[in-house]
Amino acid sequence: MAGILDLLNSDLGKTIISGVSGSTGTDQNKTSSVLTMALPVLMKAMERNASTPEGAQGLMGALSGKHDGSILDNLSGLFGGGVDDDVKTDGSKILGHVLGSKQQGVEKIIGEKSGLDIGSVGNILKVAAPILMGVLGKQSRQNNVSSAGDLSGLLGGLLGGASNTGAVTKEQTFLEKILDSDGDGSVIDDVAGMVLGGGKKGGLGGLLGGLFGK
């Protein structure tokens, strides 16, 4: 299975980056940087949320219903006339559910590293979140995900990626390590801790800065 960062480097990923950039009025390279940092964070947060039976059931319900992947079938329509407010509202709800009280901290650190203000990062993520859910929904259907174990495997596969060649995989593994800087499995706490004074100084911010040349 290709990882989430492999997806961003694919033709579909380029369409998503270009569309999100155009719909939010944000520089395409900066949009790409934001998505490269944010999508693994969102995936890891979903993986953590799905580690409880209730969380797994809720996510599977969303992926088999509203977020079944159909959003990917007409991306030109989605981006063509400007992204519908309903999509952004949906994205806002997804972010609130996945990140909870850590959302602002996550958006702030990603903004600092990508050179964008927190509002621009938030706008990008509102548009990207329903698309990410669509990617998960499509993968869920293709892999016949029907249990919490299947779901965990799907999320883990997308985070880890299966391609063993190229810089993308190395960057992906590196991202995975630095996002969970103290190895406790709580990526969101680590990201927010860098911003909100969680005591893990330098680590994540410095490494992300090095990774993205900021």
Side-chain angles (χ1 to χ4, degrees):
M1 186 193 300
I4 195 66
L5 295 187
D6 295 303
L7 168 77
L8 281 177
N9 283 307
S10 68
D11 288 340
L12 172 63
K14 286 167 187 163
T15 301
I16 292 170
I17 290 166
S18 171
V20 172
S21 167
S23 65
T24 57
T26 314
D27 175 80
Q28 198 158 315
N29 288 333
K30 289 186 176 180
T31 300
S32 177
S33 287
V34 167
L35 294 177
T36 302
M37 286 184 271
L39 294 189
V41 174
L42 290 173
M43 294 280 302
K44 192 70 183 172
M46 285 181 199
E47 186 181 47
R48 189 184 65 170
N49 291 347
S51 64
T52 66
E54 301 81 14
Q57 190 175 9
L59 185 53
M60 280 196 292
L63 297 180
S64 62
K66 184 174 188 179
H67 300 290
D68 61 358
S70 55
I71 193 172
L72 302 177
D73 297 336
N74 187 20
L75 285 177
S76 59
L78 174 70
F79 295 128
V83 175
D84 194 290
D85 282 344
D86 287 347
V87 174
K88 294 179 188 173
T89 301
D90 189 34
S92 190
K93 287 178 184 169
I94 293 167
L95 294 172
H97 181 71
V98 172
L99 299 177
S101 63
K102 311 295 187 188
Q103 183 178 341
Q104 192 172 7
V106 169
E107 290 175 354
K108 187 174 177 201
I109 188 92
I110 289 174
E112 286 173 358
K113 295 304 152 198
S114 63
L116 291 172
D117 62 80
I118 193 169
S120 297
V121 173
N123 286 336
I124 290 170
L125 297 190
K126 276 181 209 168
V127 177
I131 297 171
L132 175 62
M133 289 292 286
V135 169
L136 291 177
K138 191 171 184 181
Q139 293 277 358
S140 177
R141 279 213 321 273
Q142 289 174 348
N143 292 281
N144 297 315
V145 169
S146 59
S147 70
D150 292 343
L151 183 62
S152 178
L154 173 68
L155 291 168
L158 281 165
L159 273 165
S163 63
N164 295 314
T165 56
V168 173
T169 307
K170 288 183 189 166
E171 183 180 83
Q172 205 161 13
T173 311
F174 185 49
L175 259 178
E176 181 67 6
K177 284 178 184 165
I178 60 175
L179 286 174
D180 184 18
S181 60
D182 60 0
D184 65 354
S186 179
V187 174
I188 305 305
D189 291 342
D190 294 341
V191 175
M194 298 307 306
V195 182
L196 306 175
K200 304 180 185 97
K201 298 214 172 185
L204 176 68
L207 284 167
L208 273 179
L211 180 61
F212 293 99
K214 298 286 178 195

PDB file of all heavy atoms in Angstrom, residues 23-62:
ATOM      1  N   SER A  23      -8.223  27.163  -4.384  1.00  0.00           N
ATOM      2  CA  SER A  23      -9.471  27.473  -3.671  1.00  0.00           C
ATOM      3  C   SER A  23      -9.232  28.284  -2.403  1.00  0.00           C
ATOM      4  O   SER A  23     -10.144  28.946  -1.898  1.00  0.00           O
ATOM      5  CB  SER A  23     -10.225  26.178  -3.331  1.00  0.00           C
ATOM      6  OG  SER A  23      -9.486  25.411  -2.415  1.00  0.00           O
ATOM      7  N   THR A  24      -8.009  28.239  -1.879  1.00  0.00           N
ATOM      8  CA  THR A  24      -7.712  29.007  -0.661  1.00  0.00           C
ATOM      9  C   THR A  24      -6.866  30.240  -0.965  1.00  0.00           C
ATOM     10  O   THR A  24      -6.556  31.018  -0.056  1.00  0.00           O
ATOM     11  CB  THR A  24      -6.956  28.127   0.368  1.00  0.00           C
ATOM     12  OG1 THR A  24      -5.755  27.613  -0.226  1.00  0.00           O
ATOM     13  CG2 THR A  24      -7.828  26.973   0.843  1.00  0.00           C
ATOM     14  N   GLY A  25      -6.462  30.402  -2.231  1.00  0.00           N
ATOM     15  CA  GLY A  25      -5.641  31.550  -2.604  1.00  0.00           C
ATOM     16  C   GLY A  25      -4.263  31.524  -1.960  1.00  0.00           C
ATOM     17  O   GLY A  25      -3.687  32.564  -1.645  1.00  0.00           O
ATOM     18  N   THR A  26      -3.737  30.317  -1.760  1.00  0.00           N
ATOM     19  CA  THR A  26      -2.445  30.160  -1.090  1.00  0.00           C
ATOM     20  C   THR A  26      -1.402  29.635  -2.075  1.00  0.00           C
ATOM     21  O   THR A  26      -1.726  28.823  -2.944  1.00  0.00           O
ATOM     22  CB  THR A  26      -2.579  29.145   0.075  1.00  0.00           C
ATOM     23  OG1 THR A  26      -3.741  29.453   0.832  1.00  0.00           O
ATOM     24  CG2 THR A  26      -1.376  29.197   0.991  1.00  0.00           C
ATOM     25  N   ASP A  27      -0.172  30.104  -1.936  1.00  0.00           N
ATOM     26  CA  ASP A  27       0.932  29.664  -2.781  1.00  0.00           C
ATOM     27  C   ASP A  27       0.993  28.135  -2.827  1.00  0.00           C
ATOM     28  O   ASP A  27       0.872  27.463  -1.804  1.00  0.00           O
ATOM     29  CB  ASP A  27       2.240  30.229  -2.198  1.00  0.00           C
ATOM     30  CG  ASP A  27       3.459  29.718  -2.934  1.00  0.00           C
ATOM     31  OD1 ASP A  27       3.758  30.259  -4.007  1.00  0.00           O
ATOM     32  OD2 ASP A  27       4.094  28.763  -2.430  1.00  0.00           O
ATOM     33  N   GLN A  28       1.192  27.599  -4.040  1.00  0.00           N
ATOM     34  CA  GLN A  28       1.131  26.152  -4.221  1.00  0.00           C
ATOM     35  C   GLN A  28       2.221  25.414  -3.444  1.00  0.00           C
ATOM     36  O   GLN A  28       1.967  24.371  -2.845  1.00  0.00           O
ATOM     37  CB  GLN A  28       1.231  25.821  -5.712  1.00  0.00           C
ATOM     38  CG  GLN A  28       0.759  24.417  -6.034  1.00  0.00           C
ATOM     39  CD  GLN A  28       0.355  24.255  -7.493  1.00  0.00           C
ATOM     40  OE1 GLN A  28      -0.340  25.090  -8.038  1.00  0.00           O
ATOM     41  NE2 GLN A  28       0.799  23.191  -8.119  1.00  0.00           N
ATOM     42  N   ASN A  29       3.440  25.952  -3.430  1.00  0.00           N
ATOM     43  CA  ASN A  29       4.526  25.297  -2.692  1.00  0.00           C
ATOM     44  C   ASN A  29       4.244  25.284  -1.193  1.00  0.00           C
ATOM     45  O   ASN A  29       4.515  24.304  -0.495  1.00  0.00           O
ATOM     46  CB  ASN A  29       5.861  25.995  -2.955  1.00  0.00           C
ATOM     47  CG  ASN A  29       6.392  25.725  -4.357  1.00  0.00           C
ATOM     48  OD1 ASN A  29       6.087  24.686  -4.935  1.00  0.00           O
ATOM     49  ND2 ASN A  29       7.143  26.653  -4.902  1.00  0.00           N
ATOM     50  N   LYS A  30       3.699  26.397  -0.695  1.00  0.00           N
ATOM     51  CA  LYS A  30       3.381  26.458   0.740  1.00  0.00           C
ATOM     52  C   LYS A  30       2.216  25.527   1.073  1.00  0.00           C
ATOM     53  O   LYS A  30       2.198  24.892   2.130  1.00  0.00           O
ATOM     54  CB  LYS A  30       3.067  27.899   1.153  1.00  0.00           C
ATOM     55  CG  LYS A  30       4.312  28.778   1.138  1.00  0.00           C
ATOM     56  CD  LYS A  30       4.061  30.175   1.670  1.00  0.00           C
ATOM     57  CE  LYS A  30       5.367  30.976   1.714  1.00  0.00           C
ATOM     58  NZ  LYS A  30       5.185  32.326   2.213  1.00  0.00           N
ATOM     59  N   THR A  31       1.252  25.454   0.162  1.00  0.00           N
ATOM     60  CA  THR A  31       0.136  24.522   0.351  1.00  0.00           C
ATOM     61  C   THR A  31       0.658  23.092   0.429  1.00  0.00           C
ATOM     62  O   THR A  31       0.242  22.306   1.285  1.00  0.00           O
ATOM     63  CB  THR A  31      -0.868  24.633  -0.814  1.00  0.00           C
ATOM     64  OG1 THR A  31      -1.373  25.966  -0.872  1.00  0.00           O
ATOM     65  CG2 THR A  31      -2.031  23.671  -0.640  1.00  0.00           C
ATOM     66  N   SER A  32       1.595  22.765  -0.456  1.00  0.00           N
ATOM     67  CA  SER A  32       2.198  21.432  -0.454  1.00  0.00           C
ATOM     68  C   SER A  32       2.914  21.152   0.862  1.00  0.00           C
ATOM     69  O   SER A  32       2.782  20.072   1.444  1.00  0.00           O
ATOM     70  CB  SER A  32       3.179  21.314  -1.628  1.00  0.00           C
ATOM     71  OG  SER A  32       3.826  20.068  -1.617  1.00  0.00           O
ATOM     72  N   SER A  33       3.654  22.149   1.372  1.00  0.00           N
ATOM     73  CA  SER A  33       4.356  21.981   2.658  1.00  0.00           C
ATOM     74  C   SER A  33       3.374  21.734   3.794  1.00  0.00           C
ATOM     75  O   SER A  33       3.590  20.870   4.644  1.00  0.00           O
ATOM     76  CB  SER A  33       5.182  23.224   2.986  1.00  0.00           C
ATOM     77  OG  SER A  33       6.321  23.304   2.175  1.00  0.00           O
ATOM     78  N   VAL A  34       2.287  22.517   3.797  1.00  0.00           N
ATOM     79  CA  VAL A  34       1.276  22.354   4.853  1.00  0.00           C
ATOM     80  C   VAL A  34       0.687  20.950   4.814  1.00  0.00           C
ATOM     81  O   VAL A  34       0.581  20.279   5.851  1.00  0.00           O
ATOM     82  CB  VAL A  34       0.153  23.407   4.693  1.00  0.00           C
ATOM     83  CG1 VAL A  34      -1.048  23.064   5.578  1.00  0.00           C
ATOM     84  CG2 VAL A  34       0.669  24.793   5.046  1.00  0.00           C
ATOM     85  N   LEU A  35       0.323  20.484   3.629  1.00  0.00           N
ATOM     86  CA  LEU A  35      -0.295  19.160   3.516  1.00  0.00           C
ATOM     87  C   LEU A  35       0.694  18.051   3.857  1.00  0.00           C
ATOM     88  O   LEU A  35       0.329  17.050   4.472  1.00  0.00           O
ATOM     89  CB  LEU A  35      -0.853  18.954   2.105  1.00  0.00           C
ATOM     90  CG  LEU A  35      -2.026  19.869   1.727  1.00  0.00           C
ATOM     91  CD1 LEU A  35      -2.454  19.640   0.282  1.00  0.00           C
ATOM     92  CD2 LEU A  35      -3.214  19.651   2.660  1.00  0.00           C
ATOM     93  N   THR A  36       1.968  18.242   3.489  1.00  0.00           N
ATOM     94  CA  THR A  36       2.993  17.237   3.796  1.00  0.00           C
ATOM     95  C   THR A  36       3.171  17.086   5.304  1.00  0.00           C
ATOM     96  O   THR A  36       3.412  15.994   5.810  1.00  0.00           O
ATOM     97  CB  THR A  36       4.338  17.619   3.144  1.00  0.00           C
ATOM     98  OG1 THR A  36       4.149  17.748   1.737  1.00  0.00           O
ATOM     99  CG2 THR A  36       5.398  16.566   3.392  1.00  0.00           C
ATOM    100  N   MET A  37       3.040  18.184   6.027  1.00  0.00           N
ATOM    101  CA  MET A  37       3.155  18.121   7.487  1.00  0.00           C
ATOM    102  C   MET A  37       1.849  17.683   8.136  1.00  0.00           C
ATOM    103  O   MET A  37       1.832  16.894   9.074  1.00  0.00           O
ATOM    104  CB  MET A  37       3.559  19.496   8.036  1.00  0.00           C
ATOM    105  CG  MET A  37       5.004  19.848   7.792  1.00  0.00           C
ATOM    106  SD  MET A  37       5.458  21.430   8.575  1.00  0.00           S
ATOM    107  CE  MET A  37       5.059  22.595   7.282  1.00  0.00           C
ATOM    108  N   ALA A  38       0.739  18.217   7.626  1.00  0.00           N
ATOM    109  CA  ALA A  38      -0.547  18.050   8.322  1.00  0.00           C
ATOM    110  C   ALA A  38      -1.170  16.676   8.125  1.00  0.00           C
ATOM    111  O   ALA A  38      -1.737  16.117   9.067  1.00  0.00           O
ATOM    112  CB  ALA A  38      -1.527  19.125   7.857  1.00  0.00           C
ATOM    113  N   LEU A  39      -1.080  16.123   6.916  1.00  0.00           N
ATOM    114  CA  LEU A  39      -1.787  14.865   6.665  1.00  0.00           C
ATOM    115  C   LEU A  39      -1.295  13.714   7.545  1.00  0.00           C
ATOM    116  O   LEU A  39      -2.116  12.985   8.098  1.00  0.00           O
ATOM    117  CB  LEU A  39      -1.734  14.492   5.175  1.00  0.00           C
ATOM    118  CG  LEU A  39      -2.491  15.444   4.236  1.00  0.00           C
ATOM    119  CD1 LEU A  39      -2.560  14.867   2.828  1.00  0.00           C
ATOM    120  CD2 LEU A  39      -3.888  15.777   4.732  1.00  0.00           C
ATOM    121  N   PRO A  40       0.035  13.550   7.727  1.00  0.00           N
ATOM    122  CA  PRO A  40       0.465  12.499   8.661  1.00  0.00           C
ATOM    123  C   PRO A  40      -0.008  12.759  10.095  1.00  0.00           C
ATOM    124  O   PRO A  40      -0.315  11.826  10.831  1.00  0.00           O
ATOM    125  CB  PRO A  40       1.993  12.538   8.575  1.00  0.00           C
ATOM    126  CG  PRO A  40       2.278  13.141   7.237  1.00  0.00           C
ATOM    127  CD  PRO A  40       1.186  14.142   7.025  1.00  0.00           C
ATOM    128  N   VAL A  41      -0.061  14.019  10.497  1.00  0.00           N
ATOM    129  CA  VAL A  41      -0.546  14.346  11.846  1.00  0.00           C
ATOM    130  C   VAL A  41      -2.012  13.944  11.981  1.00  0.00           C
ATOM    131  O   VAL A  41      -2.418  13.310  12.965  1.00  0.00           O
ATOM    132  CB  VAL A  41      -0.378  15.852  12.152  1.00  0.00           C
ATOM    133  CG1 VAL A  41      -1.023  16.197  13.486  1.00  0.00           C
ATOM    134  CG2 VAL A  41       1.094  16.232  12.184  1.00  0.00           C
ATOM    135  N   LEU A  42      -2.818  14.296  10.975  1.00  0.00           N
ATOM    136  CA  LEU A  42      -4.244  13.946  11.012  1.00  0.00           C
ATOM    137  C   LEU A  42      -4.431  12.434  10.992  1.00  0.00           C
ATOM    138  O   LEU A  42      -5.257  11.886  11.723  1.00  0.00           O
ATOM    139  CB  LEU A  42      -4.977  14.574   9.820  1.00  0.00           C
ATOM    140  CG  LEU A  42      -5.128  16.097   9.849  1.00  0.00           C
ATOM    141  CD1 LEU A  42      -5.720  16.593   8.532  1.00  0.00           C
ATOM    142  CD2 LEU A  42      -6.000  16.548  11.018  1.00  0.00           C
ATOM    143  N   MET A  43      -3.643  11.752  10.163  1.00  0.00           N
ATOM    144  CA  MET A  43      -3.739  10.293  10.084  1.00  0.00           C
ATOM    145  C   MET A  43      -3.383   9.653  11.418  1.00  0.00           C
ATOM    146  O   MET A  43      -4.047   8.742  11.888  1.00  0.00           O
ATOM    147  CB  MET A  43      -2.778   9.769   9.011  1.00  0.00           C
ATOM    148  CG  MET A  43      -3.118  10.181   7.615  1.00  0.00           C
ATOM    149  SD  MET A  43      -4.402   9.191   6.883  1.00  0.00           S
ATOM    150  CE  MET A  43      -3.702   7.588   7.002  1.00  0.00           C
ATOM    151  N   LYS A  44      -2.304  10.162  12.019  1.00  0.00           N
ATOM    152  CA  LYS A  44      -1.857   9.592  13.298  1.00  0.00           C
ATOM    153  C   LYS A  44      -2.910   9.848  14.378  1.00  0.00           C
ATOM    154  O   LYS A  44      -3.167   8.987  15.227  1.00  0.00           O
ATOM    155  CB  LYS A  44      -0.513  10.215  13.696  1.00  0.00           C
ATOM    156  CG  LYS A  44       0.178   9.504  14.834  1.00  0.00           C
ATOM    157  CD  LYS A  44       0.690   8.140  14.401  1.00  0.00           C
ATOM    158  CE  LYS A  44       1.326   7.396  15.578  1.00  0.00           C
ATOM    159  NZ  LYS A  44       1.653   6.012  15.236  1.00  0.00           N
ATOM    160  N   ALA A  45      -3.516  11.024  14.339  1.00  0.00           N
ATOM    161  CA  ALA A  45      -4.567  11.329  15.320  1.00  0.00           C
ATOM    162  C   ALA A  45      -5.778  10.417  15.114  1.00  0.00           C
ATOM    163  O   ALA A  45      -6.380   9.936  16.078  1.00  0.00           O
ATOM    164  CB  ALA A  45      -4.981  12.792  15.188  1.00  0.00           C
ATOM    165  N   MET A  46      -6.116  10.159  13.845  1.00  0.00           N
ATOM    166  CA  MET A  46      -7.229   9.239  13.568  1.00  0.00           C
ATOM    167  C   MET A  46      -6.900   7.830  14.053  1.00  0.00           C
ATOM    168  O   MET A  46      -7.745   7.128  14.605  1.00  0.00           O
ATOM    169  CB  MET A  46      -7.521   9.192  12.065  1.00  0.00           C
ATOM    170  CG  MET A  46      -8.246  10.417  11.539  1.00  0.00           C
ATOM    171  SD  MET A  46      -8.565  10.234   9.765  1.00  0.00           S
ATOM    172  CE  MET A  46      -8.872  11.957   9.332  1.00  0.00           C
ATOM    173  N   GLU A  47      -5.647   7.426  13.837  1.00  0.00           N
ATOM    174  CA  GLU A  47      -5.221   6.100  14.286  1.00  0.00           C
ATOM    175  C   GLU A  47      -5.369   5.993  15.802  1.00  0.00           C
ATOM    176  O   GLU A  47      -5.833   4.981  16.328  1.00  0.00           O
ATOM    177  CB  GLU A  47      -3.767   5.858  13.869  1.00  0.00           C
ATOM    178  CG  GLU A  47      -3.272   4.452  14.171  1.00  0.00           C
ATOM    179  CD  GLU A  47      -1.821   4.266  13.761  1.00  0.00           C
ATOM    180  OE1 GLU A  47      -0.983   5.144  14.077  1.00  0.00           O
ATOM    181  OE2 GLU A  47      -1.516   3.240  13.140  1.00  0.00           O
ATOM    182  N   ARG A  48      -4.985   7.065  16.495  1.00  0.00           N
ATOM    183  CA  ARG A  48      -5.106   7.061  17.952  1.00  0.00           C
ATOM    184  C   ARG A  48      -6.575   7.018  18.370  1.00  0.00           C
ATOM    185  O   ARG A  48      -6.962   6.263  19.248  1.00  0.00           O
ATOM    186  CB  ARG A  48      -4.430   8.308  18.539  1.00  0.00           C
ATOM    187  CG  ARG A  48      -4.312   8.268  20.056  1.00  0.00           C
ATOM    188  CD  ARG A  48      -3.724   9.543  20.602  1.00  0.00           C
ATOM    189  NE  ARG A  48      -4.595  10.684  20.363  1.00  0.00           N
ATOM    190  CZ  ARG A  48      -4.405  11.881  20.902  1.00  0.00           C
ATOM    191  NH1 ARG A  48      -3.368  12.091  21.669  1.00  0.00           N
ATOM    192  NH2 ARG A  48      -5.236  12.867  20.666  1.00  0.00           N
ATOM    193  N   ASN A  49      -7.404   7.832  17.701  1.00  0.00           N
ATOM    194  CA  ASN A  49      -8.829   7.856  18.027  1.00  0.00           C
ATOM    195  C   ASN A  49      -9.480   6.498  17.766  1.00  0.00           C
ATOM    196  O   ASN A  49     -10.400   6.085  18.477  1.00  0.00           O
ATOM    197  CB  ASN A  49      -9.559   8.929  17.205  1.00  0.00           C
ATOM    198  CG  ASN A  49      -9.165  10.334  17.624  1.00  0.00           C
ATOM    199  OD1 ASN A  49      -8.539  10.526  18.666  1.00  0.00           O
ATOM    200  ND2 ASN A  49      -9.492  11.322  16.810  1.00  0.00           N
ATOM    201  N   ALA A  50      -9.011   5.816  16.721  1.00  0.00           N
ATOM    202  CA  ALA A  50      -9.608   4.535  16.334  1.00  0.00           C
ATOM    203  C   ALA A  50      -9.100   3.372  17.188  1.00  0.00           C
ATOM    204  O   ALA A  50      -9.495   2.228  16.975  1.00  0.00           O
ATOM    205  CB  ALA A  50      -9.335   4.257  14.858  1.00  0.00           C
ATOM    206  N   SER A  51      -8.222   3.674  18.145  1.00  0.00           N
ATOM    207  CA  SER A  51      -7.696   2.606  18.999  1.00  0.00           C
ATOM    208  C   SER A  51      -8.709   2.191  20.070  1.00  0.00           C
ATOM    209  O   SER A  51      -8.534   1.182  20.735  1.00  0.00           O
ATOM    210  CB  SER A  51      -6.385   3.040  19.665  1.00  0.00           C
ATOM    211  OG  SER A  51      -6.618   4.129  20.541  1.00  0.00           O
ATOM    212  N   THR A  52      -9.785   2.973  20.239  1.00  0.00           N
ATOM    213  CA  THR A  52     -10.866   2.580  21.143  1.00  0.00           C
ATOM    214  C   THR A  52     -11.999   1.993  20.301  1.00  0.00           C
ATOM    215  O   THR A  52     -12.182   2.392  19.141  1.00  0.00           O
ATOM    216  CB  THR A  52     -11.418   3.777  21.938  1.00  0.00           C
ATOM    217  OG1 THR A  52     -12.049   4.691  21.018  1.00  0.00           O
ATOM    218  CG2 THR A  52     -10.295   4.512  22.668  1.00  0.00           C
ATOM    219  N   PRO A  53     -12.782   1.070  20.851  1.00  0.00           N
ATOM    220  CA  PRO A  53     -13.892   0.481  20.081  1.00  0.00           C
ATOM    221  C   PRO A  53     -14.874   1.537  19.571  1.00  0.00           C
ATOM    222  O   PRO A  53     -15.324   1.476  18.433  1.00  0.00           O
ATOM    223  CB  PRO A  53     -14.565  -0.455  21.093  1.00  0.00           C
ATOM    224  CG  PRO A  53     -13.506  -0.772  22.099  1.00  0.00           C
ATOM    225  CD  PRO A  53     -12.632   0.439  22.180  1.00  0.00           C
ATOM    226  N   GLU A  54     -15.173   2.531  20.430  1.00  0.00           N
ATOM    227  CA  GLU A  54     -16.115   3.582  20.020  1.00  0.00           C
ATOM    228  C   GLU A  54     -15.548   4.414  18.880  1.00  0.00           C
ATOM    229  O   GLU A  54     -16.235   4.743  17.925  1.00  0.00           O
ATOM    230  CB  GLU A  54     -16.452   4.512  21.195  1.00  0.00           C
ATOM    231  CG  GLU A  54     -17.071   3.849  22.401  1.00  0.00           C
ATOM    232  CD  GLU A  54     -16.032   3.181  23.303  1.00  0.00           C
ATOM    233  OE1 GLU A  54     -14.828   3.443  23.145  1.00  0.00           O
ATOM    234  OE2 GLU A  54     -16.463   2.371  24.142  1.00  0.00           O
ATOM    235  N   GLY A  55     -14.257   4.752  19.013  1.00  0.00           N
ATOM    236  CA  GLY A  55     -13.603   5.552  17.982  1.00  0.00           C
ATOM    237  C   GLY A  55     -13.541   4.824  16.654  1.00  0.00           C
ATOM    238  O   GLY A  55     -13.803   5.399  15.593  1.00  0.00           O
ATOM    239  N   ALA A  56     -13.197   3.534  16.710  1.00  0.00           N
ATOM    240  CA  ALA A  56     -13.104   2.735  15.488  1.00  0.00           C
ATOM    241  C   ALA A  56     -14.473   2.617  14.824  1.00  0.00           C
ATOM    242  O   ALA A  56     -14.602   2.751  13.603  1.00  0.00           O
ATOM    243  CB  ALA A  56     -12.557   1.344  15.817  1.00  0.00           C
ATOM    244  N   GLN A  57     -15.492   2.389  15.642  1.00  0.00           N
ATOM    245  CA  GLN A  57     -16.853   2.258  15.105  1.00  0.00           C
ATOM    246  C   GLN A  57     -17.308   3.561  14.443  1.00  0.00           C
ATOM    247  O   GLN A  57     -17.893   3.560  13.364  1.00  0.00           O
ATOM    248  CB  GLN A  57     -17.811   1.883  16.241  1.00  0.00           C
ATOM    249  CG  GLN A  57     -19.194   1.497  15.748  1.00  0.00           C
ATOM    250  CD  GLN A  57     -20.090   1.000  16.889  1.00  0.00           C
ATOM    251  OE1 GLN A  57     -19.727   1.093  18.065  1.00  0.00           O
ATOM    252  NE2 GLN A  57     -21.238   0.481  16.550  1.00  0.00           N
ATOM    253  N   GLY A  58     -17.000   4.676  15.092  1.00  0.00           N
ATOM    254  CA  GLY A  58     -17.395   5.977  14.555  1.00  0.00           C
ATOM    255  C   GLY A  58     -16.709   6.264  13.227  1.00  0.00           C
ATOM    256  O   GLY A  58     -17.345   6.731  12.271  1.00  0.00           O
ATOM    257  N   LEU A  59     -15.407   5.964  13.155  1.00  0.00           N
ATOM    258  CA  LEU A  59     -14.658   6.231  11.929  1.00  0.00           C
ATOM    259  C   LEU A  59     -15.118   5.303  10.805  1.00  0.00           C
ATOM    260  O   LEU A  59     -15.294   5.736   9.664  1.00  0.00           O
ATOM    261  CB  LEU A  59     -13.152   6.064  12.178  1.00  0.00           C
ATOM    262  CG  LEU A  59     -12.216   6.422  11.018  1.00  0.00           C
ATOM    263  CD1 LEU A  59     -12.490   7.832  10.479  1.00  0.00           C
ATOM    264  CD2 LEU A  59     -10.754   6.311  11.437  1.00  0.00           C
ATOM    265  N   MET A  60     -15.352   4.035  11.131  1.00  0.00           N
ATOM    266  CA  MET A  60     -15.814   3.103  10.098  1.00  0.00           C
ATOM    267  C   MET A  60     -17.185   3.518   9.570  1.00  0.00           C
ATOM    268  O   MET A  60     -17.462   3.405   8.371  1.00  0.00           O
ATOM    269  CB  MET A  60     -15.865   1.669  10.651  1.00  0.00           C
ATOM    270  CG  MET A  60     -14.498   1.012  10.675  1.00  0.00           C
ATOM    271  SD  MET A  60     -14.551  -0.785  10.871  1.00  0.00           S
ATOM    272  CE  MET A  60     -15.153  -0.926  12.534  1.00  0.00           C
ATOM    273  N   GLY A  61     -18.035   4.017  10.473  1.00  0.00           N
ATOM    274  CA  GLY A  61     -19.351   4.493  10.049  1.00  0.00           C
ATOM    275  C   GLY A  61     -19.237   5.656   9.080  1.00  0.00           C
ATOM    276  O   GLY A  61     -19.938   5.726   8.059  1.00  0.00           O
ATOM    277  N   ALA A  62     -18.317   6.584   9.385  1.00  0.00           N
ATOM    278  CA  ALA A  62     -18.118   7.747   8.518  1.00  0.00           C
ATOM    279  C   ALA A  62     -17.570   7.329   7.156  1.00  0.00           C
ATOM    280  O   ALA A  62     -17.980   7.852   6.110  1.00  0.00           O
ATOM    281  CB  ALA A  62     -17.159   8.737   9.183  1.00  0.00           C
TER     282      ALA A  62
END
